[in-house]
Amino acid sequence: MLDISNEEVLRQYLLDKGHMKAGEHCWIKYCGGGVSGTVAFVHVDGREMIVKQALAKLKVKEEWLCDPNRMQIEMKSNEIYHRFVPENTPEVYFYDHDNYIFGREAAPEEAIMWKSDLMTGRLDFVVAEKVMRSLCIVHNECAKDREIAEFFADKAIFYELRISPYIKFILNKHPQLTDYAQPIIEELMDSAITLVHGDYSPKNVMINDRKVYLMDFEVAHYGHPSFDLGFLSNHLVLKSIYNCKYGAAYLSMLRHILDLYFNEMDYMDKGALEQSFIKLLPLLMIARVDGKSPVEYLTEPVDKELVRTIAYAIIESKPADRHVMIDLILAHVEAYFENTKNA
């Protein structure tokens, strides 16, 4: 298998495969930050594309292996998202099964990660609405679709990239959560409700003047949609702790987009989905401070401990609904801000 992390190799590959022509100027910029593969922004005489290659061994401190064939999963799920929300999803250009290489339309070079805005406290509710509404549309459209269900039935990659490093791994450090976590793991692995993105995160959303580009679909599977809701919500919760002076704003955004989602979803019982989401969220919170892939911005021990405290409070109090849960989180974040402000 060739390695496109070498610029000359990638340039020759594009030429050999007909994705560029002899004599055309090709400019390549590698994108950092990801752990699961090589990603390059390629500019060929006015045309821009993203070329990705999956790695078998992920770029993290802990040993973490995963089948590189997940690139085919990403290609197919990207196509499905483009079918249902084309205004917010890049177009697929090609897929190379032998080398696990995937090419798609690129967001404009001037586009930025939604995560970058969120980290600085710039909270654009219009962008957040587009992100959540797109997820709801795909969940609604893919539920009960037998063809999609069959193609994405295998959850091995989801287990390798999410269940094992996020939930199973933290049970080594929090063994008291085993009985709580096991039914949640079983629900995520056994359910076949709709197409689940599996990595629905602000780092996988590019924005340019409020236009949204959804990407990175390699963990997609036909499973339980609570995972997407929990994964996205978790990032807003963690940023409310990191940027606690804006904590209420982050949680207001979370409340708003969750209300949007639950108002528009129609593929399963709303109450059952909400309870699954509430139970899952605290495990994902702990996973981002004690799992194999902790968030890079929560570095202070006191911040990490607050994440654990809130997570355990959710588990122990069993909130009746999402609003009660968000109120609980907000109370902890505001108390933390007051303490830090007065310290």
Side-chain angles (χ1 to χ4, degrees):
M1 184 176 81
L2 62 83
D3 180 3
I4 66 167
S5 64
N6 180 293
E7 184 172 328
E8 290 308 313
V9 171
L10 175 54
R11 195 185 308 274
Q12 188 62 46
Y13 172 82
L14 294 172
L15 189 61
D16 291 344
K17 294 293 185 179
H19 303 306
M20 63 176 286
K21 299 176 183 177
E24 286 188 313
H25 175 70
C26 177
W27 178 79
I28 297 171
K29 177 182 177 182
Y30 286 95
C31 309
V35 302
S36 63
T38 298
V39 182
F41 181 90
V42 180
H43 185 106
V44 180
D45 277 3
R47 307 188 311 277
E48 296 172 340
M49 73 178 89
I50 291 290
V51 180
K52 300 182 64 175
Q53 183 176 43
L55 297 176
K57 184 181 186 301
L58 277 62
K59 297 177 285 187
V60 295
K61 181 179 178 181
E62 304 283 350
E63 179 75 4
W64 189 353
L65 305 176
C66 187
D67 182 0
N69 194 48
R70 62 188 182 276
M71 273 292 95
Q72 184 177 19
I73 296 295
E74 171 155 16
M75 177 274 297
K76 182 66 174 178
S77 48
N78 192 150
E79 284 184 339
I80 291 170
Y81 265 74
H82 186 72
R83 182 195 315 168
F84 294 124
V85 282
E87 69 280 10
N88 294 332
T89 312
E91 181 183 355
V92 172
Y93 290 156
F94 67 87
Y95 175 67
D96 177 352
H97 183 275
D98 293 332
N99 291 292
Y100 310 110
I101 298 174
F102 164 56
R104 61 163 173 79
E105 175 189 3
E109 190 179 355
E110 61 271 21
I112 64 170
M113 280 194 300
W114 184 32
K115 176 183 176 180
S116 299
D117 269 3
L118 292 175
M119 290 294 291
T120 61
R122 183 176 181 180
L123 306 180
D124 189 329
F125 277 56
V126 172
V127 169
E129 286 176 357
K130 288 181 178 180
V131 172
M132 186 59 97
R133 181 167 281 115
S134 295
L135 181 67
C136 187
I137 290 170
V138 172
H139 283 177
N140 280 338
E141 292 290 342
C142 294
K144 301 181 176 63
D145 187 309
R146 289 302 93 201
E147 182 180 344
I148 293 175
E150 289 175 9
F151 186 89
F152 292 95
D154 189 345
K155 295 189 179 72
I157 292 172
F158 174 61
Y159 186 88
E160 291 171 0
L161 288 182
R162 292 293 175 264
I163 298 298
S164 177
Y166 281 73
I167 301 178
K168 295 287 285 186
F169 187 82
I170 64 170
L171 298 182
N172 297 320
K173 300 179 181 180
H174 300 265
Q176 66 273 29
L177 292 178
T178 300
D179 289 344
Y180 177 85
Q182 192 55 42
I184 296 172
I185 293 171
E186 291 173 1
E187 181 175 57
L188 293 173
M189 292 303 298
D190 295 343
S191 298
I193 298 171
T194 191
L195 182 66
V196 176
H197 184 288
D199 198 8
Y200 213 66
S201 158
K203 74 177 176 60
N204 291 331
V205 179
M206 301 297 289
I207 55 174
N208 182 44
D209 194 24
R210 284 186 161 175
K211 178 168 173 55
V212 167
Y213 299 84
L214 304 174
M215 54 195 64
D216 287 2
F217 305 86
E218 66 185 47
V219 197
H221 61 282
Y222 208 80
H224 203 294
S226 65
F227 191 85
D228 282 341
L229 289 178
F231 208 75
L232 177 60
S233 298
N234 190 29
H235 283 276
L236 292 177
V237 172
L238 296 177
K239 287 167 182 61
S240 77
I241 293 170
Y242 170 75
N243 240 341
C244 61
K245 63 182 177 180
Y246 304 134
Y250 287 103
L251 296 173
S252 176
M253 173 180 278
L254 176 59
R255 194 189 303 270
H256 176 68
I257 61 175
L258 284 173
D259 285 349
L260 181 156
Y261 182 93
F262 279 99
N263 286 338
E264 298 185 6
M265 61 83 62
D266 60 9
Y267 58 87
M268 69 176 289
D269 180 77
K270 295 177 190 285
L273 175 58
E274 185 173 33
Q275 283 304 305
S276 293
F277 157 66
I278 290 171
K279 290 175 182 176
L280 172 62
L281 180 60
L283 294 180
L284 295 177
M285 291 174 63
I286 294 171
R288 297 320 299 266
V289 294
D290 292 330
K292 279 192 175 183
S293 182
V295 291
E296 79 287 354
Y297 52 86
L298 291 180
T299 57
E300 296 297 325
V302 66
D303 290 345
K304 295 179 181 181
E305 189 55 34
L306 179 58
V307 173
R308 300 182 191 103
T309 297
I310 295 173
Y312 274 97
I314 295 171
I315 291 169
E316 292 164 6
S317 65
K318 301 176 181 178
D321 58 43
R322 62 188 181 275
H323 296 293
V324 173
M325 181 187 71
I326 292 173
D327 287 342
L328 182 156
I329 298 170
L330 177 59
H332 279 275
V333 172
E334 289 187 329
Y336 177 65
F337 174 58
E338 288 300 317
N339 288 336
T340 57
K341 183 176 68 174
N342 298 324

Coordinates of all heavy atoms in Angstrom, one line a residue, residues 70-104:
R70 N -12.2 1.3 6.6 CA -13.2 2.3 7.0 C -13.3 3.5 6.0 O -14.3 4.2 6.0 CB -12.9 2.9 8.4 CG -11.6 3.6 8.5 CD -11.3 3.9 10.0 NE -10.1 4.7 10.2 CZ -8.8 4.2 10.2 NH1 -8.7 2.8 10.1 NH2 -7.8 4.9 10.4
M71 N -12.3 3.6 5.1 CA -12.4 4.7 4.1 C -13.6 4.4 3.2 O -14.3 5.4 2.7 CB -11.1 4.7 3.3 CG -10.0 5.6 3.8 SD -10.4 7.4 3.8 CE -11.0 7.6 5.5
Q72 N -13.9 3.1 2.9 CA -15.1 2.8 2.1 C -16.4 3.2 2.8 O -17.3 3.7 2.2 CB -15.1 1.4 1.7 CG -16.2 1.0 0.8 CD -16.3 -0.4 0.3 OE1 -15.7 -1.3 1.0 NE2 -16.9 -0.7 -0.7
I73 N -16.4 3.0 4.1 CA -17.5 3.5 4.9 C -17.7 5.0 4.8 O -18.8 5.5 4.6 CB -17.3 3.0 6.4 CG1 -17.3 1.5 6.5 CG2 -18.4 3.6 7.3 CD1 -18.6 0.8 6.1
E74 N -16.6 5.7 4.9 CA -16.6 7.1 4.8 C -17.2 7.6 3.5 O -18.0 8.5 3.4 CB -15.3 7.8 5.1 CG -15.2 9.2 4.8 CD -14.2 10.0 5.6 OE1 -13.3 9.4 6.1 OE2 -14.3 11.2 5.6
M75 N -16.7 7.0 2.4 CA -17.1 7.4 1.1 C -18.6 7.2 0.9 O -19.3 8.1 0.5 CB -16.3 6.6 0.0 CG -16.8 6.8 -1.4 SD -18.2 5.8 -2.0 CE -17.5 4.2 -1.8
K76 N -19.1 6.0 1.3 CA -20.5 5.7 1.1 C -21.4 6.6 2.0 O -22.4 7.1 1.5 CB -20.8 4.3 1.4 CG -22.2 3.8 1.2 CD -22.6 3.8 -0.2 CE -24.0 3.3 -0.4 NZ -24.5 3.3 -1.9
S77 N -21.0 6.8 3.2 CA -21.8 7.7 4.1 C -21.8 9.1 3.7 O -22.8 9.9 3.8 CB -21.4 7.5 5.6 OG -20.0 7.6 5.7
N78 N -20.6 9.6 3.2 CA -20.5 10.9 2.6 C -21.5 11.1 1.4 O -22.2 12.1 1.3 CB -19.1 11.2 2.1 CG -18.8 12.6 1.8 OD1 -17.6 13.0 1.9 ND2 -19.7 13.4 1.3
E79 N -21.6 10.1 0.6 CA -22.5 10.1 -0.5 C -24.0 10.2 0.0 O -24.8 11.0 -0.6 CB -22.4 8.8 -1.4 CG -21.2 8.8 -2.3 CD -21.2 7.6 -3.2 OE1 -21.8 6.6 -2.8 OE2 -20.5 7.6 -4.2
I80 N -24.3 9.5 1.0 CA -25.7 9.5 1.6 C -26.0 10.9 2.2 O -27.1 11.5 1.9 CB -25.9 8.4 2.6 CG1 -25.8 7.1 1.9 CG2 -27.2 8.6 3.4 CD1 -25.8 5.9 2.8
Y81 N -25.0 11.5 2.9 CA -25.3 12.8 3.4 C -25.4 13.8 2.3 O -26.3 14.7 2.4 CB -24.1 13.2 4.4 CG -24.4 13.0 5.8 CD1 -24.3 11.7 6.3 CD2 -24.7 14.0 6.7 CE1 -24.6 11.4 7.7 CE2 -24.9 13.8 8.0 CZ -24.9 12.5 8.5 OH -25.1 12.2 9.9
H82 N -24.6 13.7 1.2 CA -24.7 14.6 0.1 C -26.1 14.4 -0.6 O -26.6 15.4 -1.1 CB -23.6 14.3 -0.9 CG -23.6 15.3 -2.0 ND1 -23.2 16.6 -1.9 CD2 -23.9 15.2 -3.3 CE1 -23.2 17.3 -3.0 NE2 -23.7 16.4 -3.9
R83 N -26.6 13.2 -0.6 CA -27.9 13.0 -1.2 C -29.0 13.7 -0.4 O -29.9 14.3 -1.0 CB -28.3 11.5 -1.2 CG -29.6 11.1 -1.8 CD -30.0 9.7 -1.5 NE -28.9 8.7 -1.6 CZ -29.0 7.5 -1.1 NH1 -30.2 7.1 -0.5 NH2 -28.0 6.7 -1.3
F84 N -29.0 13.7 0.9 CA -30.1 14.2 1.7 C -29.9 15.7 2.1 O -30.8 16.4 2.3 CB -30.3 13.4 2.9 CG -30.9 12.0 2.6 CD1 -30.2 10.9 3.0 CD2 -32.0 11.8 1.8 CE1 -30.7 9.6 2.7 CE2 -32.5 10.6 1.5 CZ -31.8 9.4 1.9
V85 N -28.6 16.1 2.3 CA -28.3 17.5 2.7 C -27.2 18.0 1.8 O -26.1 18.3 2.3 CB -28.0 17.7 4.2 CG1 -29.3 17.7 5.0 CG2 -27.0 16.6 4.7
P86 N -27.4 18.1 0.5 CA -26.3 18.5 -0.4 C -25.8 19.9 -0.2 O -24.7 20.2 -0.5 CB -27.0 18.4 -1.8 CG -28.5 18.5 -1.6 CD -28.7 17.8 -0.2
E87 N -26.7 20.8 0.4 CA -26.2 22.1 0.6 C -25.2 22.2 1.7 O -24.5 23.2 1.8 CB -27.4 23.0 1.0 CG -28.1 22.7 2.3 CD -29.1 21.5 2.3 OE1 -29.1 20.8 1.3 OE2 -29.8 21.4 3.3
N88 N -25.1 21.1 2.5 CA -24.2 21.2 3.7 C -23.1 20.1 3.6 O -22.4 19.9 4.6 CB -24.9 21.0 5.0 CG -25.8 22.2 5.3 OD1 -25.5 23.3 4.8 ND2 -26.9 22.0 6.0
T89 N -23.0 19.3 2.5 CA -22.1 18.2 2.4 C -21.3 18.2 1.1 O -21.9 18.3 0.1 CB -22.9 16.8 2.5 OG1 -23.8 16.9 3.6 CG2 -21.9 15.7 2.7
P90 N -20.0 18.1 1.2 CA -19.2 18.0 0.0 C -19.5 16.8 -0.9 O -20.0 15.8 -0.4 CB -17.7 17.9 0.6 CG -17.8 18.4 2.0 CD -19.2 18.0 2.5
E91 N -19.2 17.0 -2.2 CA -19.4 15.9 -3.1 C -18.3 14.9 -3.1 O -17.1 15.3 -3.0 CB -19.6 16.5 -4.5 CG -19.9 15.5 -5.6 CD -19.9 16.1 -7.0 OE1 -19.8 17.4 -7.1 OE2 -20.0 15.4 -8.0
V92 N -18.6 13.6 -3.3 CA -17.5 12.6 -3.4 C -17.0 12.5 -4.8 O -17.7 12.6 -5.8 CB -18.1 11.2 -3.0 CG1 -17.1 10.1 -3.4 CG2 -18.6 11.1 -1.6
Y93 N -15.7 12.4 -5.0 CA -15.0 12.4 -6.3 C -14.5 11.0 -6.6 O -14.8 10.5 -7.7 CB -13.8 13.3 -6.3 CG -14.2 14.8 -6.3 CD1 -13.3 15.8 -5.9 CD2 -15.4 15.2 -6.8 CE1 -13.6 17.1 -5.9 CE2 -15.7 16.6 -6.8 CZ -14.8 17.5 -6.3 OH -15.2 18.9 -6.3
F94 N -13.9 10.3 -5.7 CA -13.3 9.0 -6.0 C -13.0 8.2 -4.7 O -12.9 8.8 -3.7 CB -12.1 9.0 -6.9 CG -10.9 9.6 -6.2 CD1 -10.0 8.9 -5.5 CD2 -10.6 11.0 -6.4 CE1 -8.9 9.4 -4.9 CE2 -9.5 11.6 -5.7 CZ -8.6 10.8 -5.0
Y95 N -12.9 6.9 -4.9 CA -12.4 6.0 -3.8 C -11.5 4.9 -4.4 O -11.9 4.3 -5.4 CB -13.6 5.3 -3.1 CG -13.2 4.4 -2.0 CD1 -12.5 4.8 -0.9 CD2 -13.4 3.0 -2.2 CE1 -12.0 4.0 0.1 CE2 -12.9 2.1 -1.2 CZ -12.2 2.6 -0.1 OH -11.8 1.7 0.9
D96 N -10.4 4.7 -3.8 CA -9.4 3.7 -4.2 C -9.4 2.6 -3.1 O -8.8 2.8 -2.0 CB -8.0 4.3 -4.4 CG -6.9 3.4 -4.7 OD1 -7.2 2.1 -4.7 OD2 -5.8 3.8 -5.0
H97 N -10.0 1.5 -3.4 CA -10.1 0.4 -2.4 C -8.8 -0.2 -2.0 O -8.5 -0.6 -0.9 CB -11.1 -0.7 -2.9 CG -11.3 -1.8 -1.9 ND1 -10.5 -2.9 -1.8 CD2 -12.3 -2.0 -1.0 CE1 -10.9 -3.7 -0.9 NE2 -12.0 -3.1 -0.4
D98 N -7.9 -0.3 -3.0 CA -6.6 -1.0 -2.8 C -5.7 -0.2 -1.8 O -4.9 -0.8 -1.1 CB -5.9 -1.2 -4.1 CG -6.6 -2.2 -5.0 OD1 -7.3 -3.1 -4.5 OD2 -6.4 -2.0 -6.3
N99 N -5.8 1.1 -1.9 CA -4.9 2.0 -1.1 C -5.7 2.7 0.0 O -5.1 3.6 0.7 CB -4.2 2.9 -1.9 CG -3.1 2.2 -2.8 OD1 -2.2 1.7 -2.4 ND2 -3.4 2.2 -4.1
Y100 N -7.0 2.5 0.2 CA -7.8 3.1 1.2 C -7.7 4.6 1.1 O -7.6 5.3 2.1 CB -7.4 2.6 2.6 CG -7.3 1.1 2.7 CD1 -6.1 0.5 2.9 CD2 -8.5 0.4 2.7 CE1 -6.0 -0.9 3.0 CE2 -8.4 -1.0 2.8 CZ -7.2 -1.6 2.9 OH -7.1 -3.0 3.0
I101 N -7.8 5.1 -0.2 CA -7.7 6.6 -0.4 C -9.1 7.1 -1.0 O -9.7 6.5 -1.8 CB -6.6 6.9 -1.4 CG1 -5.3 6.4 -0.9 CG2 -6.6 8.3 -1.8 CD1 -4.1 6.6 -1.8
F102 N -9.5 8.2 -0.4 CA -10.8 8.8 -0.7 C -10.6 10.2 -1.1 O -9.9 11.0 -0.5 CB -11.6 8.6 0.6 CG -12.9 9.5 0.6 CD1 -13.8 9.4 -0.3 CD2 -13.1 10.3 1.8 CE1 -15.0 10.2 -0.2 CE2 -14.2 11.0 1.9 CZ -15.2 11.0 0.9
G103 N -11.3 10.7 -2.2 CA -11.2 12.0 -2.6 C -12.6 12.7 -2.7 O -13.5 12.1 -3.1
R104 N -12.7 13.9 -2.2 CA -13.9 14.6 -2.2 C -13.7 16.1 -2.4 O -12.6 16.6 -2.3 CB -14.7 14.4 -0.9 CG -13.9 14.9 0.3 CD -14.9 15.1 1.5 NE -14.2 15.4 2.7 CZ -13.7 16.6 3.1 NH1 -13.9 17.6 2.2 NH2 -13.1 16.8 4.2

